[in-house]
């Protein structure tokens, strides 16, 4: 293998092609299609933003901001960051475009995200997410709706059964402040066993420690007081209404009292769809309510709730890969037929068929290539066929052959039109 840098991709990036790309596309397209049905319109935002957009929204002690961002200074001297996630970008766009005049805004996105992480299966440095955001709805019904829409997408992909929805409430600001006190009291007693990162978090954002992946931290966390016991009445009632609506939507979940989200801006509902089929990378879709975010970014005080899902992880989970479209191969025999084949290929493509026409080669070679491409049919035409206005149609799976009049060809091939996504 070449060690030349120009011949290999950057670590943690990946070329997509063939079956892998079809899996990927299926996840993105299904996400878009189902989100649209739930009333979520697609938005495309830039893949880079001013660094402050992420630094301010994600919090300066989050793993993403401290370790994972691709940040650079551009030629104009501005600090720019490749987006590590898209909630901040979508909220920034909602502010920029003045969409807060017309709420709620229900938005879907799909696209690449960038994080400097240790690459492994299901963990890349350039990966893709689909996600939805419902901005401007304070009602618990909104939390339930975004979760149910997510579950619907997973169901449509055939992976819902492979996942568990874990659900928790982080409560409102008052509840979290109360809990924070109890948590800090507990953690102070276990300082010696906490990681350096968590000691820093203990000063700045102790709740974040609950999300730590460090083994020593995890052992301490196992004995920590539960958030649930510190929720005030308003937070409890909010969560109860989320649960009621979820039950209405037919969504099943498991309460996980230790689930917190890694980001500063979350309030109330936090959730994650996890799977045990992807090894250590178990989270496929994760989100929650982020009521303070739009204001943090300099917009009005507008609440929000949403989720993001890892497209590569979902693609790995798909029970089967979508099949490649099977082309119709045209096999001309002789010069006159070569010319006619161009006309025929063009006409069939306009009718919606996938058509393969090789640039050169003997009929035998062309048939071999057709076979390799998984062609369903070969249409051959030589002098005699031209003269009689017919083509020879060969079904490549069975070897069955028939002669079809050119005038009947459209009707004969109609059932074979495949929609390509
Ligand atoms: P993890 O705990 O796996 O690091 P996270 O909490 O950092 O995930 P989120 O920021 O919630 O992830 O992103 C939502 C989803 O995006 C994750 O559930 C996962 O499916 C996917 N995802 C996150 N980081 C990566 C990555 N580096 N490569 C591939 N997919 C990712
Ligand atoms: Mg992560």
């Amino acid at each position: 293998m070449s060690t030349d840098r120009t011949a290999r991709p950057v670590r943690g990036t990946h070329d997509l092609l063939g079956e892998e790309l079809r899996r990927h596309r299926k996840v993105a397209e299904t996400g878009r299609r189902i989100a649209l049905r739930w009333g979520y319109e697609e938005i495309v935002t830039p893949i880079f933003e001013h660094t402050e957009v992420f630094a301010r929204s994600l919090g300066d002690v989050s793993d993403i901001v401290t370790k994972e961002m691709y940040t650079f200074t551009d030629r104009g001297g501005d600090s720019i960051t490749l987006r590590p996630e898209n909630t901040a970008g979508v909220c920034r766009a909602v502010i920029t475009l003045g969409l807060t005049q017309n709420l709620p805004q229900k938005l879907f996105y799909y696209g690449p995200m960038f994080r400097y992480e240790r690459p492994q299966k299901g963990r890349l440095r350039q990966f893709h997410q689909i996600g939805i955001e419902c901005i401007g709805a304070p009602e618990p019904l909104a939390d339930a709706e975004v979760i149910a829409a997510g579950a619907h997408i997973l169901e449509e992909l055939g992976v819902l059964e492979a996942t568990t929805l874990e659900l928790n409430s982080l409560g409102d600001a008052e509840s979290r402040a109360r809990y924070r006190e109890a948590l800090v009291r507990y953690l102070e007693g276990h300082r010696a066993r906490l990681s350096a990162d968590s000691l820093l978090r203990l000063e700045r954002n102790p709740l974040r420690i609950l999300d730590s992946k460090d083994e020593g931290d995890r052992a301490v966390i196992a004995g920590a007081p539960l958030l649930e016991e510190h929720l005030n009445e308003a937070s409890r009632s909010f969560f109860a209404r989320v649960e009621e609506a979820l039950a209405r939507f037919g969504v099943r979940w498991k309460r996980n009292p230790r689930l917190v989200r890694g980001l500063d801006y979350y309030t109330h509902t936090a959730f994650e769809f996890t799977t045990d089929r992807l090894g250590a990378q178990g989270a496929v879709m994760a989100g929650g309510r982020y009521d303070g975010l739009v204001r943090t970014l300099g917009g009005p005080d507008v609440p929000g709730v949403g989720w993001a899902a890892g497209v590569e992880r979902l693609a790995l989970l798909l029970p089967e890969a979508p099949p490649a479209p099977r082309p119709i191969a045209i096999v001309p025999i002789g010069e006159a037929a070569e010319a006619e084949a161009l006309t025929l290929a063009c006409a069939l493509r306009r009718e919606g068929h996938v058509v393969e026409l090789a640039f050169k080669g003997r009929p035998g070679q062309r048939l071999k290539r057709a076979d390799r491409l998984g062609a369903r049919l070969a249409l051959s035409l030589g002098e005699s066929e031209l003269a009689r206005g017919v083509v020879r149609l060969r079904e490549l799976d069975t070897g069955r052959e028939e002669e079809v009049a050119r005038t009947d060809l459209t009707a004969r091939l109609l059932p074979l039109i495949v929609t390509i996504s």
Side-chain angles (χ1 to χ4, degrees), residues 42-64:
E42 183 163 14
I43 181 169
V44 178
T45 62
I47 63 164
F48 51 73
E49 299 273 351
H50 291 295
T51 300
E52 295 95 295
V53 170
F54 306 110
R56 222 195 278 171
S57 65
L58 303 178
D60 55 5
V61 286
S62 66
D63 278 353
I64 292 184

Side-chain angles (χ1 to χ4, degrees), residues 19-56:
E19 178 184 318
E20 211 181 346
L21 180 58
R22 288 196 298 278
R23 286 173 174 269
H24 190 107
R25 284 250 180 281
K26 176 164 180 180
V27 173
E29 294 301 325
T30 305
R32 178 181 288 123
R33 185 164 50 81
I34 301 297
L36 213 67
R37 275 198 224 166
W38 284 74
Y40 288 70
E41 186 192 348
E42 183 163 14
I43 181 169
V44 178
T45 62
I47 63 164
F48 51 73
E49 299 273 351
H50 291 295
T51 300
E52 295 95 295
V53 170
F54 306 110
R56 222 195 278 171

Side-chain angles (χ1 to χ4, degrees), residues 24-326:
H24 190 107
R25 284 250 180 281
K26 176 164 180 180
V27 173
E29 294 301 325
T30 305
R32 178 181 288 123
R33 185 164 50 81
I34 301 297
L36 213 67
R37 275 198 224 166
W38 284 74
Y40 288 70
E41 186 192 348
E42 183 163 14
I43 181 169
V44 178
T45 62
I47 63 164
F48 51 73
E49 299 273 351
H50 291 295
T51 300
E52 295 95 295
V53 170
F54 306 110
R56 222 195 278 171
S57 65
L58 303 178
D60 55 5
V61 286
S62 66
D63 278 353
I64 292 184
V65 172
T66 55
K67 299 178 199 156
E68 297 176 0
M69 291 202 315
Y70 279 94
T71 297
F72 61 96
T73 306
D74 74 6
R75 286 167 194 270
D78 287 327
S79 180
I80 301 293
T81 295
L82 299 185
R83 63 183 184 194
E85 57 95 46
N86 206 26
T87 303
V90 168
C91 288
R92 196 271 310 138
V94 163
I95 299 169
T96 312
L97 301 172
L99 302 180
T100 49
Q101 297 303 309
N102 179 17
L103 297 174
Q105 285 287 328
K106 300 186 177 188
L107 300 165
F108 165 85
Y109 63 82
Y110 155 73
M113 308 294 156
F114 306 85
R115 296 185 193 178
Y116 192 79
E117 300 203 68
R118 198 167 64 79
Q120 44 196 300
K121 183 183 166 199
R123 192 176 292 285
L124 293 154
R125 290 181 174 174
Q126 175 175 337
F127 62 102
H128 297 74
Q129 287 181 337
I130 52 172
I132 67 176
E133 313 291 355
C134 177
I135 296 170
E139 297 82 8
L141 198 50
D143 306 50
E145 178 177 279
V146 300
I147 295 173
H152 189 172
I153 291 169
L154 298 179
E155 184 186 342
E156 195 77 4
L157 290 171
V159 306
L160 185 62
E161 292 305 312
T163 68
T164 306
L165 168 57
E166 299 181 32
L167 187 63
N168 195 20
S169 170
L170 308 179
D172 58 12
E174 185 197 87
S175 306
R176 276 203 317 285
R178 263 205 258 165
Y179 175 62
R180 192 187 151 114
E181 269 176 42
L183 183 66
V184 169
R185 219 175 304 125
Y186 169 82
L187 292 172
E188 287 288 356
H190 295 85
R191 282 191 82 97
R193 291 162 65 202
L194 289 177
S195 66
D197 278 347
S198 285
L199 285 174
L200 194 66
R201 295 181 186 120
L202 189 53
E203 311 302 325
R204 321 261 290 263
N205 186 348
L207 254 69
R208 177 68 56 62
I209 296 176
L210 300 176
D211 204 24
S212 168
K213 287 179 179 123
D214 178 90
E215 266 183 43
D217 289 347
R218 297 235 55 92
V220 176
I221 296 161
L226 292 177
L227 221 161
E228 202 178 348
E229 292 148 9
H230 298 79
L231 294 182
N232 61 18
E233 191 41 44
S235 300
R236 278 175 205 280
S237 132
F238 188 97
F239 193 55
R241 279 182 287 158
V242 174
E243 290 190 309
E244 263 165 44
L246 276 180
R248 279 277 167 203
F249 281 129
V251 175
R252 276 175 298 160
W253 69 92
K254 207 179 76 184
R255 180 76 185 260
N256 176 356
R258 300 210 179 271
L259 177 74
V260 293
R261 300 281 305 139
L263 307 177
D264 276 345
Y265 50 68
Y266 283 99
T267 56
H268 289 294
T269 316
F271 64 92
E272 227 168 70
F273 285 87
T274 58
T275 180
D276 54 13
R277 297 197 194 162
L278 294 178
Q281 272 53 253
V284 291
M285 181 183 278
R289 176 167 280 280
Y290 48 85
D291 286 352
L293 181 57
V294 176
R295 197 166 54 168
T296 302
L297 290 173
D301 193 4
V302 164
V305 56
W307 52 255
V311 174
E312 284 79 4
R313 292 188 195 174
L314 287 173
L316 284 169
L317 263 192
L318 288 186
E320 57 193 23
R326 300 187 64 187

